[in-house]
Every structure is written in structure tokens, then in C-alpha cells.
């Protein structure tokens, strides 16, 4: 059933319409009535009708002014305007509105019923289009790359609820669970490099690097390659927690670096963070890798720079410290003194164990 609202300053007309017209049989439920345009505007915000039948001449606000105001916030509402012969100029203006019909007074029940049937058909078609499952599914799959990228980026920035991200991942055709994770970031071009003439658009070059990276990493282990803060990020999902798996990440990135240099005539700066074992620690890993990348650019090195090379012990230290400090910060924000004291003790203990 479609929702219908009646607006007329003459109560007897409103009552007459309710008595004579079989709205329910025509597919409409009358959700409210108003006696002037201003009341109609306010009522529409609450009731959200699909169709409004209104007179033109009313106190406080005429029917067309009401329609204009409603259209600003509800552009899909249909209107049927009831107008006298003397108001034909108003009716002509009404014809300029989309999804708006007008009926000249005096109107018969047959005319109004015919107009309602026609409007019902239009509304049914509009609702069918908007609810077309096949079309919605096609739109969803078209949006999947962007949805995946948004989810992955939020994990690196700390903006995602990890549990929710894991639940949503299958819908986005993503796998996020793994025994160990590693994050790499590639920045290109560096200040001392120029783009080749045939790929002088930075975005095109970035996409070319992404394509090469995805193709090469597919033979190693699962990895997600995506845009991240103007750079390219790679999230590695490692098959186990061994040191060998992390070393294989460095081997894979070295192959990527050499292949990009060969085919695209540029060498991206690559930073690699220490591995971590929880999705909740990816934010700390991402901060590490950006730091490593900044060191790489400053040094002017073409080699892959891993944070474990410039911060000894950071394989576990940085992530552990980050987790302890995050727990302390949350306790302070919540005003929980006991929890804050426990978190502070845990942070101190973590520091002592790692130093």
C-alpha cells in the first residue's frame, strides 16, 4: 500500500473524499490530513507520504508553495492538484513539476479514481525499479572494490571495529583471518624520480604498480593490495607465525620492486612494518611502516626498508607497547580508575619484559 496525504482548507471536502473514494481498494492508505499548506509541509516531514492530493488556494501557504517546499526534502513525492478554472495559471505551473497531475474543479469521483489508478501504476513502477534485486546486486558487485578498500583502510587507520570487520569481510569477498599479518606501503614516485612519458599520470602509474603487485604476490600467499593515503598498501596474510614466513614477505616485495622498475622505469620506495598477530594491531603496524618508508625516502635508498632493521626488537615491542597504551587510554577516557591502574601496570610490565 502507498501512503497518501490529503490537504484542503475545507473540512467538508476532506471528509467527502474519505467517504466517497475507495482509497484502500486503489492501493492507498490515508496517513493524514492537513487544512493548509504550512501544516501540510510539517505533516509531510513526519508521515513521509508517497502521494499528496491538495487544493491550490489555502490560507498561510498555497498548494503550489507547499509542493515546492516539500520537494526540497522529498523529491520523489507525487502530487495531484485540485484547481478551479480561475486558477488555470497555477495549474499550468503545476504541469512544470515532475510527478504532478492536476484536476479541474468540480471533479467527479470517476476522474479522481482514474488519476489515482494512473499514479498508483507510476508508483508501483518506481518502487519496482528501486527494489529490483538483480539491479541492486549488480550495483553492489560494482561497488565491491571500493567497499573492500574502505574496510582495509579503516583497519590500518584504526577506524574499524575489528569484530564487525571480520563479520562483514565475507560479504565483500575478503578473507581477514590469518596466523600472522604484515603491512607494507609503497610510495611512488619519490622526489628524485620522474615519470616516464607514456605513464606521466601519477594515478595511472599507481594503478599499474597495483596490477603488477597483485599478479606477483598471488604466487606467494594471500595479500590485499589497495590505495592508502595517497600511497599503495599491501596487507599480507601469512600462513603461519614463523620467521621464515616474514622473510618470504621481504623476498616477495623485492621481486615486486625489481619487476616494477623493469616494466615501468620507476623504483617505488617500499617500507615494511614488523609482523603482528592480531587485526587490532594493524594500526600500530601501519604507523611503523610509514615511519620506515619515511626513513627510506630520506636515505634515498632503493632497497626495501623494514622497521625491524632500523628499530631492533620492534618485531614485538612496538605492537605490544601500542596495545598496552591503547588499553590505558581507553580506561582513562572511560574514567575507570581501577582499570586504568591495571592497564598502567600492564604497560610497565610490558616495557620491563621487552627491555
Amino acid at each position: 500500500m502507498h501512503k497518501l496525504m490529503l490537504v484542503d482548507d475545507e473540512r467538508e471536502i476532506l471528509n467527502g473524499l474519505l467517504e466517497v473514494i475507495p482509497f484502500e481498494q486503489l492501493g492507498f492508505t490515508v496517513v493524514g490530513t492537513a487544512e493548509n499548506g504550512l501544516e501540510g509541509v510539517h505533516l509531510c516531514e513526519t508521515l513521509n507520504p508517497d502521494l499528496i492530493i491538495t487544493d491550490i488556494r489555502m490560507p498561510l501557504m498555497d498548494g503550489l508553495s507547499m509542493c515546492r517546499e516539500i520537494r526540497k526534502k522529498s523529491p520523489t513525492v507525487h502530487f495531484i492538484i485540485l484547481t478551479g478554472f480561475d486558477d488555470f495559471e497555477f495549474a499550468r505551473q503545476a504541469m512544470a513539476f515532475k510527478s504532478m497531475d492536476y484536476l479541474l474543479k468540480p471533479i467527479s469521483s470517476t476522474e479522481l479514481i482514474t488519476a489515482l489508478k494512473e499514479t498508483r501504476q507510476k508508483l508501483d513502477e518506481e518502487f519496482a525499479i528501486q527494489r529490483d534485486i538483480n539491479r541492486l546486486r549488480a550495483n553492489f558487485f560494482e561497488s565491491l572494490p571500493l567497499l573492500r578498500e574502505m574496510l582495509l583502510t579503516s583497519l590500518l587507520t584504526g577506524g574499524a571495529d575489528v569484530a564487525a570487520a571480520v563479520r562483514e569481510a565475507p560479504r565483500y569477498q575478503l578473507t581477514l583471518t590469518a596466523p600472522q599479518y604484515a603491512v607494507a606501503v609503497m610510495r611512488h614516485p619519490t622526489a628524485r624520480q620522474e615519470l616516464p612519458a607514456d605513464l606521466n599520470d601519477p594515478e595511472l602509474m599507481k594503478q599499474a604498480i597495483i596490477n603488477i603487485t597483485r599478479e606477483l604476490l598471488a604466487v606467494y600467499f594471500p595479500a590485499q593490495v589497495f590505495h592508502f593515503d595517497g600511497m599503495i598498501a599491501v596487507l599480507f596474510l601469512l600462513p603461519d607465525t614463523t620467521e621464515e614466513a616474514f622473510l618470504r614477505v621481504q623476498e616477495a616485495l623485492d621481486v615486486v620492486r625489481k619487476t616494477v622498475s623493469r616494466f615501468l622505469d620507476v623504483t617505488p620506495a617500499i617500507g615494511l612494518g614488523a609482523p603482528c598477530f592480531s587485526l587490532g594491531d594493524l594500526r600500530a603496524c601501519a604507523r611503523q611502516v610509514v615511519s620506515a618508508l619515511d626513513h627510506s625516502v630520506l636515505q634515498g635508498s632503493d632497497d626495501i626498508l623494514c622497521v625491524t632493521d632500523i628499530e631492533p626488537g620492534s618485531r614485538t615491542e612496538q605492537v605490544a607497547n601500542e596495545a598496552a597504551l591503547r588499553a590505558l587510554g581507553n580506561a582513562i577516557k572511560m574514567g575507570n580508575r581501577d582499570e586504568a591502574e591495571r592497564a598502567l601496570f600492564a604497560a610497565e610490565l610490558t616495557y620491563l619484559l621487552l627491555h
Side-chain angles (χ1 to χ4, degrees), residues 8-15 35 55 105:
D8 198 301
D9 61 324
E10 298 183 45
R11 172 51 60 178
E12 56 270 23
I13 291 180
L14 291 176
N15 292 336
E35 297 186 13
D55 192 11
K105 293 179 179 179

Side-chain angles (χ1 to χ4, degrees), residues 53-90:
I53 299 177
T54 181
D55 192 11
I56 284 186
R57 293 189 180 275
M58 294 182 294
L60 301 181
M61 179 184 288
D62 65 73
L64 284 185
S65 297
M66 178 195 72
C67 294
R68 292 190 186 95
E69 288 300 311
I70 289 175
R71 270 288 165 78
K72 293 177 182 178
K73 295 183 178 180
S74 304
T76 61
V77 178
H78 286 248
F79 298 92
I80 294 178
I81 306 294
L82 307 180
T83 176
F85 182 78
D86 293 339
D87 296 325
F88 184 77
E89 176 58 26
F90 286 102

Side-chain angles (χ1 to χ4, degrees), residues 153-212:
T153 298
S154 66
L155 285 171
L156 298 194
T157 59
D161 178 272
V162 173
V166 171
R167 288 195 304 269
E168 290 297 315
R171 294 187 63 236
Y172 299 157
Q173 299 179 357
L174 275 176
T175 299
L176 291 179
T177 55
Q180 185 175 207
Y181 304 92
V183 177
V185 170
M186 292 185 280
R187 178 180 289 149
H188 147 76
T190 59
R192 57 194 176 83
Q193 292 179 323
E194 293 184 2
L195 294 176
D198 56 342
L199 279 175
N200 60 2
D201 185 328
E203 292 304 316
L204 291 179
M205 175 60 77
K206 193 184 303 179
Q207 190 59 50
I209 295 174
I210 288 175
N211 293 342
I212 290 175

Side-chain angles (χ1 to χ4, degrees), residues 180 240-248 250 275 315:
Q180 185 175 207
D240 54 57
T241 60
T242 63
E243 183 73 19
E244 289 73 17
F246 185 62
L247 292 175
R248 192 155 168 75
Q250 299 178 59
R315 174 177 170 82

Side-chain angles (χ1 to χ4, degrees), residues 128-129 131-142:
I129 291 173
R131 295 180 179 181
D132 184 343
I133 298 301
N134 291 330
R135 187 174 69 90
L136 292 174
R137 186 176 289 112
N139 290 342
F140 175 75
F141 284 116
E142 288 177 4

Side-chain angles (χ1 to χ4, degrees), residues 14-47:
L14 291 176
N15 292 336
L17 290 173
L18 292 171
E19 292 175 4
V20 174
I21 306 299
F23 291 112
E24 293 285 338
Q25 296 178 24
L26 295 169
F28 292 93
T29 298
V30 179
V31 293
T33 62
E35 297 186 13
N36 60 69
L38 191 60
E39 183 183 351
V41 170
H42 295 315
L43 199 60
C44 182
E45 293 180 0
T46 303
L47 301 178

